[in-house]
Structure formats: C-alpha cells, structure tokens
Amino acid sequence: DIQMTQSPSTLSASVGDRVTITCRASQSISSWLAWYQQKPGKAPKLLIYKASSLESGVPSRFSGSGSGTEFTLTISSLQPDDYAIYYCQQYKSYSFGQGTKVEIK
Amino acid sequence: QVQLQESGPGLVKPSQTLSLTCTVSGVSISSGGYYWSWIRQHPGKGLEWIGYIYYSGSTYYNPSLKSRVTMSVDTSKNQFSLKLRSVAAADTAVYYCARNLAAAGPFDSWGQGTLVTVSS
C-alpha cells in the first residue's frame, strides 16, 4: 500500500505569492503522480499529470516537479481563483494525499 | 467534450446495497482507450479510489473495498455502475465517477458527485 503525505496541511498566502506544496510517497512511484484542485462543492480538477505535465487549459503559473518519492506543486503567482484544496495522487495504485488547503492570508 | 453524471438513491439503509450509475456523454465507452472509475469523498475528508472498469468488463478494485464492490458496464446505454454491499455509516460520502486516461492514469474528467447517506 503506497501512502501519500502532503505538507503543509494548510497554507496561508497572499495574492501574488509564490506557493509550494510538497507530496511524499512511501515508496517510489517514478513519475506516476497527478495534482488536483478542488473548490467547495465541486469535483476535483486535474492540473498536472506525470509529475510535471500541465493539463490542457490549466494556467502556466501552475507547475509540478519531482520523481521517485518526492514531488512539488508550485503556483508562481497566487491568484484569487487559486484559493482551494490541492491533492496529490499516485496512479500506480491510486491513493491520494490528505490535501493542502490554500487560504487567504 | 466528455461529461459524466452520477445518479442513484441519496439515502441507503445500513446493511443494504448502495447502487449508483454513471452516464457518459461526449465519448463512447465502447471506443476503448479509457478506463472508468468510482471515487468517494467522506464529508470534509480526502479522496478514496474505489475501483475502475474497462468497456470489456474487466475490473480492478481497491483492496480495502474489494470484498464489497461490484462494477459493471452497459455499453448500449453508455453507462457504468457501482454496487457496494453491506453498507454502514462509514460509507456515507460523496461518490464521483471519473475517467482514467489509462489503466494507470490520472482522472481527467469527473462527474459532479452525488451524496449518499447511510442511515436508518
């Protein structure tokens, strides 16, 4: 069973800030990692797949990096629409991280 | 553009079977190339993958739920379904259907989700 651990659980940031979220896997998952954004009452939305590939239509301020067991999601300049919960997910066996809430500072 | 829509009872009694259907539009399930999943989210909590099905009927379930889960596909209606047996309050969640880009692939399209409450 592959465990995914995100940090931090909550992040307070201002518009324009650079934001970084970390996701660690309990064993190597190569680059089989995705990032999702979820807003209240909505389904998650795919942002990044294969650790660093940007999903079509997703703003370029979002980027992903990493391989093996450590991964990051970076928002280069936080926008008002970006306040949400972010989840990482490994798709070797489909487990998700516990989520990181990005809130207004 | 693919769209997915969950349907089914919003209230299920303990020990009974939860049954949900996902209707897909914009792409034919039988065209292949995609896998079709169910994912749930307990209230205020994180996400849990339940399992996926391919158009051929082949399935792969989360080991933690495998003993209680059955998925099926109806290509004539462009639908796939979930049955979860012997439910308890811990199965109360928002249930989503979603599309995988591959057997080992991310979920690129999701339904809006449906809340299922297990209560007598």
Side-chain angles (χ1 to χ4, degrees), chain A residues 9-49:
Chain A
S9 296
T10 304
L11 186 160
S12 298
S14 302
V15 172
D17 284 352
R18 181 181 182 87
V19 166
T20 299
I21 299 169
T22 297
C23 177
R24 289 187 174 86
S26 60
Q27 60 184 266
S28 177
I29 57 169
S30 184
S31 296
W32 304 124
L33 186 102
W35 290 97
Y36 301 86
Q37 176 194 67
Q38 188 177 34
K39 296 183 178 179
K42 300 292 187 182
K45 172 188 173 184
L46 178 64
L47 301 175
I48 301 284
Y49 62 95

Side-chain angles (χ1 to χ4, degrees), chain B residues 29-50:
Chain B
I29 288 179
S30 58
S31 64
Y34 301 111
Y35 291 70
W36 305 92
S37 279
W38 289 97
I39 298 151
R40 69 181 182 179
Q41 186 168 35
H42 296 101
K45 303 291 186 183
L47 297 154
E48 180 181 32
W49 172 74
I50 299 170

